[in-house]
Structure formats: structure tokens, C-alpha cells
Amino acid sequence: RHPRGRALPAAPRVSNRLTPGEFISGVRVVAGRELGAYFGSGIAVVYTVAFVILSNSIFMNEFFLSGRIDMRPYFETMPLLLAVFLPAVTMRSWAEERKGRTIELLLTLPIVPLQATLGKFLAALALYAFFLLGSVPFVIMLAVLGRPDFGQIAAGYIGLIGLGMLLLSAGTFLSAPSGDQIIAFVTSALLAFALVLTGNDRVVAVLDGLFPALGLGTLLLETVSIAPHYGAGVAGAVPLSGVAYFGLGSASFRWINALVLERNRA
């Protein structure tokens, strides 16, 4: 109360009921802050250069060996590379905030956890877009050398976008409860490799052999693995099941991430 007895005005409180414009503005602020951190620390440049050199070298080696005018070898090698690189992108998302104790400051800003989650996800997705831009010269090269199937190439890129969204959402979520970037990286990479390797024929055969009654390998392939959905894109198709798998999976991880932050904010 005021020294003379008059009541002081109540401190303003942040409402979770935001207009679409206010919501988008908050997401943009967080995304810009995160992108600034990526580029300011040099992470964006180092990761992009390393990824482009490695992925392009693998593709060019396969291209000269096979002589095929298509992007399929590039798309087929991407899941294993992304299982390493994308967890490296997301490991700092919330772990760094916790380590530097800036998460408390972020959550006291006039934004809701879902805005913060989406902002960090979109910043990571923008960096991932730079990864994929490094492969555009291959499309141009193939168009000059022959007549590639542009429909198959487009479907492959759609599959890459879906896969990237899923792994980035999962990695950002797994960074939220951790205060250590290494732990966040390891857990995210393990999940990514699990999603990728459960689609490998040898892994499926081994798991089916170990658990014949359950048919565990086949079960994981049909329900958990990215292989059926991503493989359809590599083959040139974009089935609704694949869109649902990547879209709902990515959205679920972001929603759980926002719930974790809401609990920490309470």
C-alpha cells in the first residue's frame, strides 16, 4: 500500500489470451533472438559448412560411381547425417538457457511457453534450411546433364523437410529438461538413431529374431520408424500417412515442450 494509505495499482500480469498478431510477434522475437545466437556464436556457419561438405562429398562420390541422373543417393544418406547434425543444432536450445539461468528471464517476458517453443523451433528450422540450400547446385547440375525426375526430387525434399521438423522438435523438447548440452545431444541423437535404424533391414531382422513371438523389428518398422514415410518421399510419393506421421509427431513434441516450460513457469 501507499505510505498515505492509498492502494498501489496492481502489477500488470501477462495474459495467455493473445491476439493472433501478439502471438506471432512473440514467436518472431524469440526466433530472432535464437537466430542471432546461432550466427553470433558462429554455430550456424560451422554447422552449415560441415554439413554441406560432408553430404555433398558423399553424393558426388556416389554420383561418379553410378552415373545416375537423380538425387536418390543424396536423399538416402541424409537420415543418418541428420541424426547427428540436428541434435547438435538443438542441444543448446534450452540446456544453454538453464545453464546460464536465462530461462527464468525468458519465461518472465510477456510471452507464453508455446511462443517460446515455436520461436526456438522456427530458428532451428531456418538453420536447417541453410543445410538444404547447399544441395541446390546438384539439382541445377542434374538439369544441365540430363532429364531428372523433378517430381521425385520435390517429393524427396518434402520428405527431408518432414524429417527435419520431427527431429528438430524432438531435440528441442529433450533439451528442455536438461541443464547440460552433452546430455541433450546424446538423448536426442539416440532417439534420432532409433527412429532411423528401426527401418534398417538388418536391424529389423535381428529384432525379429530376438523376439520372434512379438515380431518386434517389424512392429517398430510399421509403427515407429521413419523408414516407410521417408522412403515414400525418396521414391517420389507424398502419402497422407507420411504427412500425418511427420506433422503430428513434430507438433506433439512441441506441445509437450510447451507443457514442460509451463510447469517450470508455475
Side-chain angles (χ1 to χ4, degrees):
R1 295 181 64 87
H2 191 276
R4 296 185 178 179
R6 287 178 295 175
L8 293 174
R13 299 183 64 182
V14 178
S15 173
N16 287 338
R17 295 182 180 179
L18 302 173
T19 66
E22 291 172 335
F23 185 86
I24 293 172
S25 178
V27 172
R28 187 167 56 243
V29 167
V30 176
R33 173 180 178 271
E34 194 71 5
L35 274 176
Y38 282 136
F39 284 94
S41 62
I43 290 175
V45 175
V46 172
Y47 284 5
T48 301
V49 170
F51 181 85
V52 170
I53 290 176
L54 183 58
S55 61
N56 290 6
S57 298
I58 293 173
F59 173 76
M60 290 305 296
N61 181 65
E62 181 64 26
F63 175 75
F64 284 119
L65 288 175
S66 66
R68 294 186 301 171
I69 307 296
D70 68 57
M71 290 280 290
R72 200 176 278 213
Y74 177 82
F75 296 130
E76 289 173 348
T77 61
M78 288 294 281
L80 285 175
L81 289 180
L82 294 179
V84 175
F85 275 88
L86 294 190
V89 169
T90 59
M91 67 181 184
R92 65 175 300 280
S93 295
W94 294 110
E96 183 69 14
E97 299 276 8
R98 289 187 179 280
K99 183 177 179 180
R101 297 190 175 181
T102 55
I103 189 170
E104 291 85 359
L105 175 62
L106 180 62
L107 294 179
T108 56
L109 294 175
I111 59 174
V112 296
L114 184 57
Q115 287 175 294
T117 300
L118 283 175
K120 284 185 174 285
F121 166 74
L122 290 177
L125 191 62
L127 179 55
Y128 177 53
F130 283 101
F131 289 6
L132 298 185
L133 284 175
S135 65
V136 172
F138 291 145
V139 181
I140 299 173
M141 179 189 73
L142 295 178
V144 171
L145 293 177
R147 296 182 177 179
D149 185 345
F150 288 107
Q152 182 270 329
I153 292 175
Y157 275 110
I158 292 173
L160 276 181
I161 293 171
L163 176 58
M165 290 175 60
L166 178 64
L167 295 186
L168 289 173
S169 296
T172 304
F173 158 65
L174 290 172
S175 178
S178 174
D180 187 286
Q181 293 189 44
I182 301 301
I183 294 176
F185 171 78
V186 170
T187 54
S188 300
L190 287 175
L191 175 60
F193 275 110
L195 293 174
V196 172
L197 293 179
T198 47
N200 182 278
D201 291 339
R202 292 181 179 179
V203 174
V204 172
V206 168
L207 291 176
D208 281 343
L210 291 174
F211 304 94
L214 294 175
L216 182 61
T218 301
L219 178 63
L220 291 176
L221 172 65
E222 295 175 348
T223 59
V224 175
S225 175
I226 67 163
H229 313 288
Y230 181 75
V234 174
V238 185
L240 183 60
S241 60
V243 174
Y245 173 85
F246 289 120
L248 293 177
S250 175
S252 297
F253 279 118
R254 293 197 300 274
W255 177 66
I256 298 171
N257 192 355
L259 290 180
V260 172
L261 294 180
E262 186 67 53
R263 186 185 65 180
N264 292 337
R265 189 181 192 182

